[in-house]
Amino acid sequence: MENNEIKTKKVETFRIPIEKLFPKFEEHLNIKNNRRILVSGKFGIGKTYFLNEFFKNKKDKYECYHLFPINYQISANDDIIEFLKYDILVEIIKKNEDIFTKKDYNNFFDLQRLLYIWGQNNFRKIFDTGISLIPKLGRPFREISGLIKNFWEFKKRVEKGQKGSIEEFFNKINEKRVAETDYLSEIIKQKIKEQKGRKESILILDDLDRIDPEHIFRVLNVFSAHFDLESKKELPNKFGFDKVIIVADFPNLESIFHHKYGQDTDSSGYFNKFFSVEIFQFKNEKLIQETIDQLISKFKVEDENLKEAMGPRRFLRIILEDILKKALELTGKEKPNMWQLLKGVRFPLPAFNPGNYKKGFIYREEKEILQFIKISIRALISIFDGLDSNFISVLKKIKENLKKEREKEHSYKLFSFYLLKEVNNLEEKNSTGRKTSIIWKQYIIKIDLEEQKIEDIILEKNNDTSLNSANLFYDLLIEYINQGLHNKEIRFF
């Protein structure tokens, strides 16, 4: 499950104010006849946390059943819909542990008789096909113990010959001419209706794009739109839910579809059956960007000397904020998810361990800045899964996506000067003279060696010079990592 709230040792929390997104989602839910909803967003971006918080705050309006088929232990011969049925039963009992013991025949039958019917007087079949499914749901035992207890109590009653009410149940079924093909589905439908009262019943099927493709399309087909051939009216959702919410990364679903059925197959026509109006695109990037400063302030820093350097407007903080904020503007695999962003909050990243920063050893701005560049690179590599290549890919995408930011030009030039000295052996090549011009790749860089600064940057074939400083900074960062300089010790003498 995704989680946007992490507790530290000091019982501090980092929390994104997702309530700001509630009105937009509720507006989408309230669209007339919007019975099937597809919530799309990149894995790890916080969809599950958002939905949990939304429906937690709307308990008076919605009765929500939130399921995670990814947890099911399904073999090749199992039908995922059977697992969903039992998972829904567990959820119903969690909401109301007495609901299956009331002898209310207008709402059909309790769970004990349900399992008896399922096995049709054959206890072994009940055990094999009913109870044996429960441990495969991937749920804690406390959530299913009530289900098993109810079954054993009923078994005892059956063995004593108390079967008369079961015949009455079959008569009730025949009288109502139930359309469902199995009794379990009909009972689930009735109990959901009973449980919701005046509220709307919601079924959420989460992480659907993370299960086996065969099971994905089985679930989608069962919960797709169906129409009565005579009236040409849309039929209710499976199990009678007022709304069914499918949660997945839609591009993933499309990719899986084309892999299974071929690139030329019409995916749009297929997927349109699974949402009533339009896909709800879950986007929380702006909220995360607004809280990046707070997130970085929660990073676990083991080196006491580094804590000061992580303060607002300090060099280390400036580098981390700039790269993380720009990375959130990306699309595709380079865009960080919440699991990645929260690594520094959950764990002490190796870059922040004691000994990585030499404070006051011999103070020189150059050595300070190079240390902060090195530490920030190592921290960001950890955030982006610990691979240099992954982080370089992120930096390249950021560079392609750069926008005008005049206020950061000074910082870019400052960092770039010391990076250039490292990647280009600047001091060795320019041992004499104060001002000089360096040609590095497609750049002509005018520098002042005495003042230790870059005066001007000319980028060939670039009419918009406002981006030159940012372009140079990101190109130098990429080269710095490619040369492995972030892993080398900084020489202080």
Side-chain angles (χ1 to χ4, degrees), residues 283-322:
K283 296 180 180 180
N284 62 351
E285 294 85 351
K286 288 185 178 179
L287 287 179
I288 299 173
Q289 282 183 321
E290 291 171 2
T291 56
I292 280 293
D293 293 356
Q294 182 188 352
L295 185 147
I296 293 174
S297 71
K298 301 292 184 182
F299 278 1
K300 293 184 178 180
V301 180
E302 300 291 299
D303 191 326
E304 291 296 324
N305 291 327
L306 269 180
K307 289 182 178 179
E308 182 182 349
M310 290 285 283
R313 303 188 66 80
R314 300 302 297 269
F315 289 139
L316 181 55
R317 182 77 161 263
I318 289 170
I319 298 171
L320 292 170
E321 287 178 4
D322 187 69

Side-chain angles (χ1 to χ4, degrees), residues 151-179:
F151 168 75
W152 287 111
E153 289 178 353
F154 176 65
K155 175 181 175 291
K156 292 176 183 177
R157 294 209 305 271
V158 170
E159 289 172 346
K160 293 179 181 179
Q162 299 175 11
K163 302 178 182 178
S165 57
I166 293 172
E167 293 178 3
E168 183 179 347
F169 171 75
F170 278 112
N171 292 333
K172 293 280 185 181
I173 292 286
N174 292 330
E175 288 173 11
K176 289 180 175 289
R177 297 181 179 179
V178 177

Side-chain angles (χ1 to χ4, degrees), residues 83-100:
F83 285 77
L84 285 173
K85 291 175 186 177
Y86 280 86
D87 214 1
I88 294 170
L89 282 176
V90 173
E91 282 294 300
I92 292 172
I93 291 175
K94 281 174 62 181
K95 292 174 181 294
N96 183 357
E97 61 182 12
D98 296 325
I99 197 166
F100 285 108

